[in-house]
C-alpha cells in the first residue's frame, strides 16, 4: 500500500513538473483546440503503453494531469470548459472514472 502511495505521489509530481516546464507556446497550441489536446493525450497514452503502463496507471496519470489543468489553466474551448466543470463537481471516484474514459477516448 505504501509503495502504491509513493508511486502515485511520484506520478503527480512528475506530471505537474512536466506541465509546468512546457513552454507557453506549446501549451497554448495543445490547449487551444480540443482535437490537438486529444492528439497530445493520445501520444502520451501510447508512450505509457509502450513503457508497460496498464490502464489503471494511465488513468492515475490522466487524473493527475486533470487536477493540474483544472486548477492552473483556463479552458480554451467549450470541450475543455465542460471537462473543467465536470472536474469541479466530481468526487475523487468520479474524476478517476472520467480519467479512465479519457484514456479510452484517445487510446
Amino acid at each position: 500500500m505504501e509503495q502504491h502511495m509513493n508511486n502515485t505521489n511520484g506520478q503527480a509530481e512528475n506530471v505537474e513538473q512536466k506541465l509546468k516546464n512546457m513552454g507557453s507556446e506549446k501549451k497554448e497550441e495543445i490547449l487551444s483546440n480540443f482535437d490537438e489536446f486529444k492528439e497530445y493525450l493520445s501520444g502520451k497514452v501510447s508512450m505509457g503503453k509502450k513503457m508497460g503502463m496498464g490502464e489503471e496507471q494511465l488513468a492515475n496519470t490522466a487524473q493527475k494531469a486533470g487536477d493540474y489543468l483544472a486548477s492552473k489553466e483556463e479552458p480554451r474551448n467549450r470541450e475543455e470548459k465542460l471537462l473543467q466543470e465536470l472536474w469541479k463537481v466530481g468526487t475523487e471516484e468520479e474524476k478517476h472514472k472520467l480519467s479512465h474514459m479519457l484514456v479510452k477516448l484517445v487510446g
Side-chain angles (χ1 to χ4, degrees), residues 7-17 64:
N7 285 345
T8 301
N9 289 339
Q11 283 176 338
E13 291 171 9
N14 192 20
V15 168
E16 187 166 337
Q17 192 61 39
K64 300 307 175 200

Side-chain angles (χ1 to χ4, degrees), residues 23-71:
S24 60
E25 189 174 306
K26 178 70 174 169
K27 193 183 297 184
E28 187 61 36
E29 178 184 323
I30 293 166
L31 296 176
S32 66
N33 180 299
F34 191 66
D35 287 331
E36 289 292 326
F37 172 74
K38 289 191 316 184
E39 186 176 316
Y40 175 80
L41 188 56
S42 177
K44 295 303 181 189
V45 167
S46 292
M47 185 185 307
K49 286 179 179 178
K50 287 177 185 172
M51 294 172 53
M53 293 175 75
E55 186 178 330
E56 188 64 26
Q57 288 175 299
L58 292 168
N60 285 338
T61 302
Q63 186 171 355
K64 300 307 175 200
D67 286 340
Y68 176 84
L69 292 171
S71 66

Side-chain angles (χ1 to χ4, degrees), residues 61-102:
T61 302
Q63 186 171 355
K64 300 307 175 200
D67 286 340
Y68 176 84
L69 292 171
S71 66
K72 308 267 192 234
E73 295 292 332
E74 285 299 315
R76 310 305 202 278
N77 52 58
R78 292 184 313 231
E79 295 89 350
E80 289 174 9
K81 180 68 175 165
L82 174 61
L83 285 173
Q84 185 185 60
E85 292 298 317
L86 289 171
W87 207 261
K88 284 180 182 178
V89 300
T91 64
E92 284 302 307
E93 182 180 349
E94 291 166 332
K95 290 175 187 178
H96 189 69
K97 288 179 189 236
L98 182 56
S99 297
H100 272 280
M101 292 188 308
L102 286 169

